[in-house]
Amino acid sequence: KQWYQRRVRGILYQSQRQGRISFYMTNFGEEAIQIGSARALKFKDVVFPQYREAGVFLWRGYTPLECMHQCFGTARDFGKGKQMPVHYSGAKANIQTVSSP
């Protein structure tokens, strides 16, 4: 899971730097805490994440490709491209949509 997270983060960070996506927040050095906190919860527990917690989504079964669809706002994004990049939603994994002020 951490390898996926680092790989996806690198691709998305470079995409944002190239102007392919409008917004991306990195989570360098935060991978282990995300996986650790997700492992400590039961699947029935509801998660209210912030936008640097893609590892929680990956732990609960989201694929790196699903995360990328959300960031790029493709038709395969669960939110149909209506959210800002990195504002993942997770109804299938009992995770509330990421929000920002």
Side-chain angles (χ1 to χ4, degrees), residues 43 47 49 57 60 62 78 87-98:
F43 192 81
V47 176
F57 286 85
R60 289 210 170 178
Y62 275 67
F78 297 118
H87 287 63
Y88 308 107
S89 60
K92 76 174 190 177
N94 214 16
I95 304 174
Q96 295 296 312
T97 303
V98 173

